Amino acid sequence: MDYVWLIVGLVLIIAGADWLTDGASSMAKRWGVSDLVIGLTVVAFGTSAPELSISLVSALKGSAPMAIGNVVGSNIFNVLAIIGVVALARPIRIEPSIMQNELPLAILASVALLAIGCGPELGAGTGRIVTRPDGILLILFFLIFMRYTFSQAKGISSASDPVGDAAARKPLMPMWKSVAWVILGLGALVWGGDRFVSGASGIASSLGMSDAVIGLTIVAAGTSLPELATSLTAALKGNTGIAVGNVIGSCIFNIFFVLGLTGVVTPLPFGGIGETDLLVMTGAALLFWLFGWRFGRREIKRWEGGVMLACYVAYVAFQISKV
């Protein structure tokens, strides 16, 4: 039954995120909110809703290492696995703004979490834990990121915003249906998250795996499926810029918003999430940055994508070897 609940929970989470996004987008359109703002807020939140649902439920059920492992593992999966797969499918051309603005913010987010996780080594007396003040600080970083995103978007028309366009192309629902979709989506996220965490915890116990390891691998890969599907589809259609922006935005969202909000709700001990995992997460973002700037060409070639994917396989093998 643990495996059944794992699959059922994941399906409910992904479906719930889709229902919530559709309902909220339709409501926002009825209230006169622009397509661009919908893309930057509602749609962006929708793709990160699985991580938020899993992390909150895990933390509230006393599985804080799974909550942190979900975020750390998702970011590692996003950069090494998704970018690796996308680059293998089609070489990725990276926009200058992503290299100069969004990617440094993703590296900053990783370094911030690394610093929190290495608190004792840095002389902090709180131990290896995401405290409520840490969570508040991460949320503030997230608000700064959103303020920056909106300021950058002021000069962009909705016609040039593919994410907003995707939301705009969906038919406008009646208000009652929009509200029902939002409520149904939230319910699916909450209940699906509860079932997914229960199933994952049961599997971890039966296989002798810790909550941290299963959060870093199975849970992280499962909750990153929306990003994988979105990025791969965009790349195959020739929109590699969307694929990269989706991944980098998700990495920033995961640390600053998902982990920040979860840390505000309840302090999060790192448990089995070690410095190695945090260093791999930070190193993955730096590797992406180095490959992107190689010879100033701002391009991830197929062989570089292969290297990134191989690094992820090696990381998962390392996690399994610890069981």
Side-chain angles (χ1 to χ4, degrees), residues 71-72 75-76 79 102-118 138 141 248 251-252 254-256 259 270 275 277-286:
V71 168
V72 174
N75 280 18
I76 294 172
V79 176
E102 281 80 6
L103 189 52
L105 276 173
I107 295 173
L108 172 64
S110 300
V111 171
L113 186 56
L114 175 64
I116 294 172
C118 296
L138 292 175
F141 272 121
I248 299 304
C251 289
I252 297 171
N254 285 345
I255 293 178
F256 285 158
L259 204 56
F270 277 77
E275 287 84 356
D277 305 306
L278 299 174
L279 285 170
V280 170
M281 177 186 67
T282 307
L286 288 171

PDB file of all heavy atoms in Angstrom, residues 71-72 75-76 79 102-118 138 141 248 251-252 254-256 259 270 275 277-286:
ATOM      1  N   VAL A  71      13.513  19.819  -1.171  1.00  0.00           N
ATOM      2  CA  VAL A  71      13.971  21.060  -1.811  1.00  0.00           C
ATOM      3  C   VAL A  71      15.375  20.890  -2.384  1.00  0.00           C
ATOM      4  O   VAL A  71      15.641  21.229  -3.546  1.00  0.00           O
ATOM      5  CB  VAL A  71      13.923  22.228  -0.812  1.00  0.00           C
ATOM      6  CG1 VAL A  71      14.657  23.444  -1.365  1.00  0.00           C
ATOM      7  CG2 VAL A  71      12.483  22.585  -0.474  1.00  0.00           C
ATOM      8  N   VAL A  72      16.284  20.362  -1.565  1.00  0.00           N
ATOM      9  CA  VAL A  72      17.674  20.184  -2.021  1.00  0.00           C
ATOM     10  C   VAL A  72      17.719  19.218  -3.200  1.00  0.00           C
ATOM     11  O   VAL A  72      18.354  19.483  -4.234  1.00  0.00           O
ATOM     12  CB  VAL A  72      18.562  19.674  -0.863  1.00  0.00           C
ATOM     13  CG1 VAL A  72      19.967  19.340  -1.372  1.00  0.00           C
ATOM     14  CG2 VAL A  72      18.641  20.716   0.246  1.00  0.00           C
ATOM     15  N   ASN A  75      16.257  20.725  -6.450  1.00  0.00           N
ATOM     16  CA  ASN A  75      17.169  21.654  -7.119  1.00  0.00           C
ATOM     17  C   ASN A  75      18.293  20.913  -7.837  1.00  0.00           C
ATOM     18  O   ASN A  75      18.699  21.298  -8.935  1.00  0.00           O
ATOM     19  CB  ASN A  75      17.727  22.657  -6.116  1.00  0.00           C
ATOM     20  CG  ASN A  75      16.743  23.780  -5.810  1.00  0.00           C
ATOM     21  OD1 ASN A  75      15.555  23.651  -6.073  1.00  0.00           O
ATOM     22  ND2 ASN A  75      17.230  24.864  -5.257  1.00  0.00           N
ATOM     23  N   ILE A  76      18.807  19.847  -7.200  1.00  0.00           N
ATOM     24  CA  ILE A  76      19.839  19.042  -7.858  1.00  0.00           C
ATOM     25  C   ILE A  76      19.264  18.387  -9.107  1.00  0.00           C
ATOM     26  O   ILE A  76      19.895  18.385 -10.177  1.00  0.00           O
ATOM     27  CB  ILE A  76      20.393  17.980  -6.884  1.00  0.00           C
ATOM     28  CG1 ILE A  76      21.138  18.654  -5.728  1.00  0.00           C
ATOM     29  CG2 ILE A  76      21.321  17.004  -7.610  1.00  0.00           C
ATOM     30  CD1 ILE A  76      21.559  17.694  -4.622  1.00  0.00           C
ATOM     31  N   VAL A  79      18.658  21.023 -12.056  1.00  0.00           N
ATOM     32  CA  VAL A  79      19.832  21.504 -12.788  1.00  0.00           C
ATOM     33  C   VAL A  79      20.552  20.372 -13.508  1.00  0.00           C
ATOM     34  O   VAL A  79      20.811  20.453 -14.715  1.00  0.00           O
ATOM     35  CB  VAL A  79      20.803  22.234 -11.836  1.00  0.00           C
ATOM     36  CG1 VAL A  79      22.073  22.646 -12.580  1.00  0.00           C
ATOM     37  CG2 VAL A  79      20.129  23.458 -11.227  1.00  0.00           C
ATOM     38  N   GLU A 102      19.190  35.910 -13.247  1.00  0.00           N
ATOM     39  CA  GLU A 102      18.499  34.809 -12.580  1.00  0.00           C
ATOM     40  C   GLU A 102      19.461  33.734 -12.058  1.00  0.00           C
ATOM     41  O   GLU A 102      19.307  33.244 -10.929  1.00  0.00           O
ATOM     42  CB  GLU A 102      17.476  34.172 -13.522  1.00  0.00           C
ATOM     43  CG  GLU A 102      16.181  34.953 -13.659  1.00  0.00           C
ATOM     44  CD  GLU A 102      16.290  36.115 -14.619  1.00  0.00           C
ATOM     45  OE1 GLU A 102      17.350  36.244 -15.271  1.00  0.00           O
ATOM     46  OE2 GLU A 102      15.334  36.893 -14.716  1.00  0.00           O
ATOM     47  N   LEU A 103      20.438  33.341 -12.886  1.00  0.00           N
ATOM     48  CA  LEU A 103      21.351  32.281 -12.451  1.00  0.00           C
ATOM     49  C   LEU A 103      22.182  32.691 -11.241  1.00  0.00           C
ATOM     50  O   LEU A 103      22.335  31.894 -10.299  1.00  0.00           O
ATOM     51  CB  LEU A 103      22.248  31.845 -13.607  1.00  0.00           C
ATOM     52  CG  LEU A 103      23.101  30.597 -13.354  1.00  0.00           C
ATOM     53  CD1 LEU A 103      22.265  29.437 -12.845  1.00  0.00           C
ATOM     54  CD2 LEU A 103      23.855  30.193 -14.630  1.00  0.00           C
ATOM     55  N   PRO A 104      22.745  33.907 -11.187  1.00  0.00           N
ATOM     56  CA  PRO A 104      23.417  34.333  -9.946  1.00  0.00           C
ATOM     57  C   PRO A 104      22.501  34.304  -8.724  1.00  0.00           C
ATOM     58  O   PRO A 104      22.945  33.981  -7.618  1.00  0.00           O
ATOM     59  CB  PRO A 104      23.876  35.760 -10.263  1.00  0.00           C
ATOM     60  CG  PRO A 104      24.080  35.761 -11.736  1.00  0.00           C
ATOM     61  CD  PRO A 104      22.980  34.878 -12.269  1.00  0.00           C
ATOM     62  N   LEU A 105      21.196  34.619  -8.912  1.00  0.00           N
ATOM     63  CA  LEU A 105      20.261  34.542  -7.797  1.00  0.00           C
ATOM     64  C   LEU A 105      20.063  33.096  -7.349  1.00  0.00           C
ATOM     65  O   LEU A 105      19.945  32.818  -6.144  1.00  0.00           O
ATOM     66  CB  LEU A 105      18.908  35.144  -8.199  1.00  0.00           C
ATOM     67  CG  LEU A 105      18.766  36.660  -8.080  1.00  0.00           C
ATOM     68  CD1 LEU A 105      17.441  37.110  -8.661  1.00  0.00           C
ATOM     69  CD2 LEU A 105      18.886  37.106  -6.626  1.00  0.00           C
ATOM     70  N   ALA A 106      20.035  32.165  -8.303  1.00  0.00           N
ATOM     71  CA  ALA A 106      19.922  30.746  -7.951  1.00  0.00           C
ATOM     72  C   ALA A 106      21.159  30.286  -7.178  1.00  0.00           C
ATOM     73  O   ALA A 106      21.054  29.517  -6.217  1.00  0.00           O
ATOM     74  CB  ALA A 106      19.739  29.906  -9.209  1.00  0.00           C
ATOM     75  N   ILE A 107      22.332  30.759  -7.585  1.00  0.00           N
ATOM     76  CA  ILE A 107      23.563  30.419  -6.863  1.00  0.00           C
ATOM     77  C   ILE A 107      23.529  31.034  -5.471  1.00  0.00           C
ATOM     78  O   ILE A 107      23.903  30.391  -4.480  1.00  0.00           O
ATOM     79  CB  ILE A 107      24.798  30.908  -7.656  1.00  0.00           C
ATOM     80  CG1 ILE A 107      24.903  30.149  -8.985  1.00  0.00           C
ATOM     81  CG2 ILE A 107      26.075  30.721  -6.828  1.00  0.00           C
ATOM     82  CD1 ILE A 107      25.991  30.673  -9.907  1.00  0.00           C
ATOM     83  N   LEU A 108      23.061  32.288  -5.371  1.00  0.00           N
ATOM     84  CA  LEU A 108      22.940  32.945  -4.065  1.00  0.00           C
ATOM     85  C   LEU A 108      22.015  32.171  -3.145  1.00  0.00           C
ATOM     86  O   LEU A 108      22.309  31.976  -1.953  1.00  0.00           O
ATOM     87  CB  LEU A 108      22.420  34.374  -4.253  1.00  0.00           C
ATOM     88  CG  LEU A 108      22.051  35.140  -2.967  1.00  0.00           C
ATOM     89  CD1 LEU A 108      23.300  35.356  -2.112  1.00  0.00           C
ATOM     90  CD2 LEU A 108      21.393  36.474  -3.292  1.00  0.00           C
ATOM     91  N   ALA A 109      20.878  31.692  -3.677  1.00  0.00           N
ATOM     92  CA  ALA A 109      19.939  30.912  -2.868  1.00  0.00           C
ATOM     93  C   ALA A 109      20.601  29.638  -2.359  1.00  0.00           C
ATOM     94  O   ALA A 109      20.446  29.268  -1.185  1.00  0.00           O
ATOM     95  CB  ALA A 109      18.699  30.568  -3.694  1.00  0.00           C
ATOM     96  N   SER A 110      21.358  28.967  -3.222  1.00  0.00           N
ATOM     97  CA  SER A 110      22.046  27.737  -2.815  1.00  0.00           C
ATOM     98  C   SER A 110      23.083  28.016  -1.742  1.00  0.00           C
ATOM     99  O   SER A 110      23.198  27.268  -0.765  1.00  0.00           O
ATOM    100  CB  SER A 110      22.715  27.091  -4.039  1.00  0.00           C
ATOM    101  OG  SER A 110      21.769  26.757  -5.022  1.00  0.00           O
ATOM    102  N   VAL A 111      23.845  29.096  -1.910  1.00  0.00           N
ATOM    103  CA  VAL A 111      24.872  29.452  -0.924  1.00  0.00           C
ATOM    104  C   VAL A 111      24.224  29.822   0.411  1.00  0.00           C
ATOM    105  O   VAL A 111      24.743  29.475   1.487  1.00  0.00           O
ATOM    106  CB  VAL A 111      25.736  30.615  -1.448  1.00  0.00           C
ATOM    107  CG1 VAL A 111      26.665  31.148  -0.358  1.00  0.00           C
ATOM    108  CG2 VAL A 111      26.567  30.155  -2.649  1.00  0.00           C
ATOM    109  N   ALA A 112      23.079  30.508   0.364  1.00  0.00           N
ATOM    110  CA  ALA A 112      22.381  30.876   1.599  1.00  0.00           C
ATOM    111  C   ALA A 112      21.960  29.636   2.373  1.00  0.00           C
ATOM    112  O   ALA A 112      22.143  29.553   3.598  1.00  0.00           O
ATOM    113  CB  ALA A 112      21.159  31.735   1.268  1.00  0.00           C
ATOM    114  N   LEU A 113      21.402  28.643   1.665  1.00  0.00           N
ATOM    115  CA  LEU A 113      20.996  27.406   2.341  1.00  0.00           C
ATOM    116  C   LEU A 113      22.210  26.631   2.828  1.00  0.00           C
ATOM    117  O   LEU A 113      22.172  26.027   3.907  1.00  0.00           O
ATOM    118  CB  LEU A 113      20.164  26.542   1.390  1.00  0.00           C
ATOM    119  CG  LEU A 113      19.542  25.276   2.006  1.00  0.00           C
ATOM    120  CD1 LEU A 113      18.689  25.620   3.220  1.00  0.00           C
ATOM    121  CD2 LEU A 113      18.705  24.525   0.966  1.00  0.00           C
ATOM    122  N   LEU A 114      23.298  26.658   2.061  1.00  0.00           N
ATOM    123  CA  LEU A 114      24.542  26.007   2.487  1.00  0.00           C
ATOM    124  C   LEU A 114      25.060  26.642   3.778  1.00  0.00           C
ATOM    125  O   LEU A 114      25.492  25.932   4.702  1.00  0.00           O
ATOM    126  CB  LEU A 114      25.586  26.117   1.382  1.00  0.00           C
ATOM    127  CG  LEU A 114      26.990  25.601   1.699  1.00  0.00           C
ATOM    128  CD1 LEU A 114      26.975  24.095   1.972  1.00  0.00           C
ATOM    129  CD2 LEU A 114      27.960  25.913   0.548  1.00  0.00           C
ATOM    130  N   ALA A 115      24.987  27.962   3.857  1.00  0.00           N
ATOM    131  CA  ALA A 115      25.446  28.659   5.067  1.00  0.00           C
ATOM    132  C   ALA A 115      24.581  28.300   6.276  1.00  0.00           C
ATOM    133  O   ALA A 115      25.100  28.095   7.379  1.00  0.00           O
ATOM    134  CB  ALA A 115      25.421  30.174   4.836  1.00  0.00           C
ATOM    135  N   ILE A 116      23.261  28.192   6.071  1.00  0.00           N
ATOM    136  CA  ILE A 116      22.375  27.792   7.169  1.00  0.00           C
ATOM    137  C   ILE A 116      22.693  26.375   7.617  1.00  0.00           C
ATOM    138  O   ILE A 116      22.746  26.074   8.815  1.00  0.00           O
ATOM    139  CB  ILE A 116      20.901  27.898   6.732  1.00  0.00           C
ATOM    140  CG1 ILE A 116      20.522  29.356   6.465  1.00  0.00           C
ATOM    141  CG2 ILE A 116      19.972  27.308   7.809  1.00  0.00           C
ATOM    142  CD1 ILE A 116      19.148  29.534   5.858  1.00  0.00           C
ATOM    143  N   GLY A 117      22.923  25.477   6.654  1.00  0.00           N
ATOM    144  CA  GLY A 117      23.218  24.088   6.985  1.00  0.00           C
ATOM    145  C   GLY A 117      24.573  23.888   7.634  1.00  0.00           C
ATOM    146  O   GLY A 117      24.784  22.891   8.324  1.00  0.00           O
ATOM    147  N   CYS A 118      25.488  24.816   7.413  1.00  0.00           N
ATOM    148  CA  CYS A 118      26.829  24.724   8.013  1.00  0.00           C
ATOM    149  C   CYS A 118      26.947  25.668   9.203  1.00  0.00           C
ATOM    150  O   CYS A 118      28.044  26.166   9.504  1.00  0.00           O
ATOM    151  CB  CYS A 118      27.901  25.046   6.971  1.00  0.00           C
ATOM    152  SG  CYS A 118      27.983  23.880   5.601  1.00  0.00           S
ATOM    153  N   LEU A 138      14.589  34.080   4.319  1.00  0.00           N
ATOM    154  CA  LEU A 138      14.426  33.501   2.989  1.00  0.00           C
ATOM    155  C   LEU A 138      13.193  34.081   2.292  1.00  0.00           C
ATOM    156  O   LEU A 138      13.224  34.355   1.081  1.00  0.00           O
ATOM    157  CB  LEU A 138      14.312  31.975   3.093  1.00  0.00           C
ATOM    158  CG  LEU A 138      15.580  31.229   3.541  1.00  0.00           C
ATOM    159  CD1 LEU A 138      15.290  29.737   3.720  1.00  0.00           C
ATOM    160  CD2 LEU A 138      16.713  31.428   2.540  1.00  0.00           C
ATOM    161  N   PHE A 141      14.062  37.442   0.958  1.00  0.00           N
ATOM    162  CA  PHE A 141      14.802  37.286  -0.290  1.00  0.00           C
ATOM    163  C   PHE A 141      13.839  37.006  -1.448  1.00  0.00           C
ATOM    164  O   PHE A 141      14.011  37.511  -2.566  1.00  0.00           O
ATOM    165  CB  PHE A 141      15.822  36.145  -0.183  1.00  0.00           C
ATOM    166  CG  PHE A 141      17.154  36.563   0.363  1.00  0.00           C
ATOM    167  CD1 PHE A 141      17.664  35.982   1.510  1.00  0.00           C
ATOM    168  CD2 PHE A 141      17.913  37.524  -0.276  1.00  0.00           C
ATOM    169  CE1 PHE A 141      18.894  36.356   2.019  1.00  0.00           C
ATOM    170  CE2 PHE A 141      19.159  37.919   0.212  1.00  0.00           C
ATOM    171  CZ  PHE A 141      19.643  37.335   1.368  1.00  0.00           C
ATOM    172  N   ILE A 248      15.514  27.446 -13.633  1.00  0.00           N
ATOM    173  CA  ILE A 248      16.190  28.390 -12.737  1.00  0.00           C
ATOM    174  C   ILE A 248      15.183  29.061 -11.808  1.00  0.00           C
ATOM    175  O   ILE A 248      15.421  29.223 -10.606  1.00  0.00           O
ATOM    176  CB  ILE A 248      16.965  29.445 -13.548  1.00  0.00           C
ATOM    177  CG1 ILE A 248      18.046  28.774 -14.403  1.00  0.00           C
ATOM    178  CG2 ILE A 248      17.600  30.472 -12.614  1.00  0.00           C
ATOM    179  CD1 ILE A 248      19.021  27.920 -13.617  1.00  0.00           C
ATOM    180  N   CYS A 251      14.251  26.701  -9.026  1.00  0.00           N
ATOM    181  CA  CYS A 251      15.301  26.566  -8.001  1.00  0.00           C
ATOM    182  C   CYS A 251      15.239  27.717  -7.001  1.00  0.00           C
ATOM    183  O   CYS A 251      15.351  27.511  -5.787  1.00  0.00           O
ATOM    184  CB  CYS A 251      16.680  26.518  -8.663  1.00  0.00           C
ATOM    185  SG  CYS A 251      17.024  24.989  -9.571  1.00  0.00           S
ATOM    186  N   ILE A 252      15.058  28.933  -7.516  1.00  0.00           N
ATOM    187  CA  ILE A 252      14.957  30.102  -6.638  1.00  0.00           C
ATOM    188  C   ILE A 252      13.690  30.007  -5.783  1.00  0.00           C
ATOM    189  O   ILE A 252      13.705  30.248  -4.564  1.00  0.00           O
ATOM    190  CB  ILE A 252      14.949  31.397  -7.475  1.00  0.00           C
ATOM    191  CG1 ILE A 252      16.273  31.539  -8.236  1.00  0.00           C
ATOM    192  CG2 ILE A 252      14.709  32.621  -6.587  1.00  0.00           C
ATOM    193  CD1 ILE A 252      16.279  32.665  -9.257  1.00  0.00           C
ATOM    194  N   ASN A 254      12.015  27.357  -4.894  1.00  0.00           N
ATOM    195  CA  ASN A 254      12.080  26.263  -3.920  1.00  0.00           C
ATOM    196  C   ASN A 254      12.763  26.676  -2.621  1.00  0.00           C
ATOM    197  O   ASN A 254      12.285  26.365  -1.521  1.00  0.00           O
ATOM    198  CB  ASN A 254      12.804  25.054  -4.520  1.00  0.00           C
ATOM    199  CG  ASN A 254      11.957  24.292  -5.508  1.00  0.00           C
ATOM    200  OD1 ASN A 254      10.745  24.466  -5.573  1.00  0.00           O
ATOM    201  ND2 ASN A 254      12.600  23.453  -6.301  1.00  0.00           N
ATOM    202  N   ILE A 255      13.893  27.346  -2.738  1.00  0.00           N
ATOM    203  CA  ILE A 255      14.652  27.707  -1.530  1.00  0.00           C
ATOM    204  C   ILE A 255      14.035  28.909  -0.835  1.00  0.00           C
ATOM    205  O   ILE A 255      13.734  28.874   0.366  1.00  0.00           O
ATOM    206  CB  ILE A 255      16.126  27.979  -1.878  1.00  0.00           C
ATOM    207  CG1 ILE A 255      16.803  26.689  -2.342  1.00  0.00           C
ATOM    208  CG2 ILE A 255      16.869  28.547  -0.657  1.00  0.00           C
ATOM    209  CD1 ILE A 255      18.247  26.856  -2.750  1.00  0.00           C
ATOM    210  N   PHE A 256      13.831  29.985  -1.566  1.00  0.00           N
ATOM    211  CA  PHE A 256      13.367  31.222  -0.939  1.00  0.00           C
ATOM    212  C   PHE A 256      11.917  31.133  -0.459  1.00  0.00           C
ATOM    213  O   PHE A 256      11.597  31.600   0.635  1.00  0.00           O
ATOM    214  CB  PHE A 256      13.513  32.398  -1.914  1.00  0.00           C
ATOM    215  CG  PHE A 256      14.933  32.865  -2.094  1.00  0.00           C
ATOM    216  CD1 PHE A 256      15.303  33.567  -3.230  1.00  0.00           C
ATOM    217  CD2 PHE A 256      15.907  32.608  -1.140  1.00  0.00           C
ATOM    218  CE1 PHE A 256      16.603  34.011  -3.400  1.00  0.00           C
ATOM    219  CE2 PHE A 256      17.216  33.039  -1.303  1.00  0.00           C
ATOM    220  CZ  PHE A 256      17.559  33.748  -2.446  1.00  0.00           C
ATOM    221  N   LEU A 259      11.020  26.593   1.126  1.00  0.00           N
ATOM    222  CA  LEU A 259      11.729  26.325   2.381  1.00  0.00           C
ATOM    223  C   LEU A 259      11.559  27.477   3.372  1.00  0.00           C
ATOM    224  O   LEU A 259      11.473  27.251   4.582  1.00  0.00           O
ATOM    225  CB  LEU A 259      13.216  26.092   2.096  1.00  0.00           C
ATOM    226  CG  LEU A 259      13.984  25.261   3.127  1.00  0.00           C
ATOM    227  CD1 LEU A 259      13.317  23.907   3.330  1.00  0.00           C
ATOM    228  CD2 LEU A 259      15.431  25.053   2.684  1.00  0.00           C
ATOM    229  N   PHE A 270      18.039  19.702   9.947  1.00  0.00           N
ATOM    230  CA  PHE A 270      18.542  19.113   8.713  1.00  0.00           C
ATOM    231  C   PHE A 270      18.604  17.589   8.799  1.00  0.00           C
ATOM    232  O   PHE A 270      18.469  16.907   7.793  1.00  0.00           O
ATOM    233  CB  PHE A 270      19.936  19.665   8.388  1.00  0.00           C
ATOM    234  CG  PHE A 270      19.902  20.987   7.680  1.00  0.00           C
ATOM    235  CD1 PHE A 270      19.630  22.163   8.370  1.00  0.00           C
ATOM    236  CD2 PHE A 270      20.128  21.069   6.325  1.00  0.00           C
ATOM    237  CE1 PHE A 270      19.602  23.383   7.729  1.00  0.00           C
ATOM    238  CE2 PHE A 270      20.096  22.288   5.663  1.00  0.00           C
ATOM    239  CZ  PHE A 270      19.825  23.451   6.372  1.00  0.00           C
ATOM    240  N   GLU A 275      26.428  18.196   4.642  1.00  0.00           N
ATOM    241  CA  GLU A 275      27.117  19.225   3.872  1.00  0.00           C
ATOM    242  C   GLU A 275      27.360  18.779   2.436  1.00  0.00           C
ATOM    243  O   GLU A 275      27.342  19.596   1.513  1.00  0.00           O
ATOM    244  CB  GLU A 275      28.455  19.587   4.533  1.00  0.00           C
ATOM    245  CG  GLU A 275      28.334  20.407   5.800  1.00  0.00           C
ATOM    246  CD  GLU A 275      28.086  19.541   7.039  1.00  0.00           C
ATOM    247  OE1 GLU A 275      27.929  18.303   6.868  1.00  0.00           O
ATOM    248  OE2 GLU A 275      28.061  20.102   8.153  1.00  0.00           O
ATOM    249  N   ASP A 277      25.404  17.019   0.463  1.00  0.00           N
ATOM    250  CA  ASP A 277      24.210  17.274  -0.343  1.00  0.00           C
ATOM    251  C   ASP A 277      24.084  18.759  -0.681  1.00  0.00           C
ATOM    252  O   ASP A 277      23.752  19.125  -1.816  1.00  0.00           O
ATOM    253  CB  ASP A 277      22.964  16.801   0.410  1.00  0.00           C
ATOM    254  CG  ASP A 277      23.059  15.344   0.816  1.00  0.00           C
ATOM    255  OD1 ASP A 277      23.305  14.503  -0.065  1.00  0.00           O
ATOM    256  OD2 ASP A 277      22.900  15.051   2.012  1.00  0.00           O
ATOM    257  N   LEU A 278      24.348  19.613   0.301  1.00  0.00           N
ATOM    258  CA  LEU A 278      24.262  21.054   0.071  1.00  0.00           C
ATOM    259  C   LEU A 278      25.349  21.526  -0.888  1.00  0.00           C
ATOM    260  O   LEU A 278      25.121  22.414  -1.723  1.00  0.00           O
ATOM    261  CB  LEU A 278      24.367  21.801   1.405  1.00  0.00           C
ATOM    262  CG  LEU A 278      23.263  21.493   2.421  1.00  0.00           C
ATOM    263  CD1 LEU A 278      23.565  22.168   3.750  1.00  0.00           C
ATOM    264  CD2 LEU A 278      21.902  21.948   1.899  1.00  0.00           C
ATOM    265  N   LEU A 279      26.538  20.924  -0.787  1.00  0.00           N
ATOM    266  CA  LEU A 279      27.624  21.276  -1.701  1.00  0.00           C
ATOM    267  C   LEU A 279      27.323  20.824  -3.128  1.00  0.00           C
ATOM    268  O   LEU A 279      27.650  21.528  -4.091  1.00  0.00           O
ATOM    269  CB  LEU A 279      28.937  20.660  -1.213  1.00  0.00           C
ATOM    270  CG  LEU A 279      29.587  21.328   0.000  1.00  0.00           C
ATOM    271  CD1 LEU A 279      30.734  20.483   0.533  1.00  0.00           C
ATOM    272  CD2 LEU A 279      30.082  22.730  -0.366  1.00  0.00           C
ATOM    273  N   VAL A 280      26.699  19.640  -3.268  1.00  0.00           N
ATOM    274  CA  VAL A 280      26.320  19.168  -4.603  1.00  0.00           C
ATOM    275  C   VAL A 280      25.289  20.114  -5.214  1.00  0.00           C
ATOM    276  O   VAL A 280      25.372  20.463  -6.403  1.00  0.00           O
ATOM    277  CB  VAL A 280      25.761  17.727  -4.541  1.00  0.00           C
ATOM    278  CG1 VAL A 280      25.134  17.327  -5.876  1.00  0.00           C
ATOM    279  CG2 VAL A 280      26.872  16.748  -4.177  1.00  0.00           C
ATOM    280  N   MET A 281      24.310  20.545  -4.411  1.00  0.00           N
ATOM    281  CA  MET A 281      23.302  21.481  -4.907  1.00  0.00           C
ATOM    282  C   MET A 281      23.954  22.781  -5.382  1.00  0.00           C
ATOM    283  O   MET A 281      23.649  23.279  -6.478  1.00  0.00           O
ATOM    284  CB  MET A 281      22.286  21.781  -3.802  1.00  0.00           C
ATOM    285  CG  MET A 281      21.233  22.805  -4.176  1.00  0.00           C
ATOM    286  SD  MET A 281      20.169  23.268  -2.791  1.00  0.00           S
ATOM    287  CE  MET A 281      21.373  24.117  -1.740  1.00  0.00           C
ATOM    288  N   THR A 282      24.862  23.327  -4.567  1.00  0.00           N
ATOM    289  CA  THR A 282      25.548  24.565  -4.939  1.00  0.00           C
ATOM    290  C   THR A 282      26.467  24.345  -6.128  1.00  0.00           C
ATOM    291  O   THR A 282      26.530  25.166  -7.050  1.00  0.00           O
ATOM    292  CB  THR A 282      26.348  25.107  -3.743  1.00  0.00           C
ATOM    293  OG1 THR A 282      25.492  25.226  -2.608  1.00  0.00           O
ATOM    294  CG2 THR A 282      26.941  26.468  -4.053  1.00  0.00           C
ATOM    295  N   GLY A 283      27.180  23.202  -6.115  1.00  0.00           N
ATOM    296  CA  GLY A 283      28.082  22.896  -7.214  1.00  0.00           C
ATOM    297  C   GLY A 283      27.356  22.712  -8.531  1.00  0.00           C
ATOM    298  O   GLY A 283      27.878  23.067  -9.599  1.00  0.00           O
ATOM    299  N   ALA A 284      26.127  22.162  -8.490  1.00  0.00           N
ATOM    300  CA  ALA A 284      25.345  21.980  -9.717  1.00  0.00           C
ATOM    301  C   ALA A 284      25.032  23.326 -10.358  1.00  0.00           C
ATOM    302  O   ALA A 284      25.162  23.493 -11.582  1.00  0.00           O
ATOM    303  CB  ALA A 284      24.050  21.227  -9.398  1.00  0.00           C
ATOM    304  N   ALA A 285      24.622  24.303  -9.538  1.00  0.00           N
ATOM    305  CA  ALA A 285      24.334  25.643 -10.068  1.00  0.00           C
ATOM    306  C   ALA A 285      25.598  26.287 -10.641  1.00  0.00           C
ATOM    307  O   ALA A 285      25.553  26.930 -11.699  1.00  0.00           O
ATOM    308  CB  ALA A 285      23.737  26.517  -8.965  1.00  0.00           C
ATOM    309  N   LEU A 286      26.730  26.105  -9.950  1.00  0.00           N
ATOM    310  CA  LEU A 286      27.993  26.663 -10.445  1.00  0.00           C
ATOM    311  C   LEU A 286      28.429  25.982 -11.738  1.00  0.00           C
ATOM    312  O   LEU A 286      28.959  26.637 -12.645  1.00  0.00           O
ATOM    313  CB  LEU A 286      29.085  26.505  -9.376  1.00  0.00           C
ATOM    314  CG  LEU A 286      28.959  27.422  -8.149  1.00  0.00           C
ATOM    315  CD1 LEU A 286      29.964  27.009  -7.079  1.00  0.00           C
ATOM    316  CD2 LEU A 286      29.174  28.873  -8.549  1.00  0.00           C
TER     317      LEU A 286
END
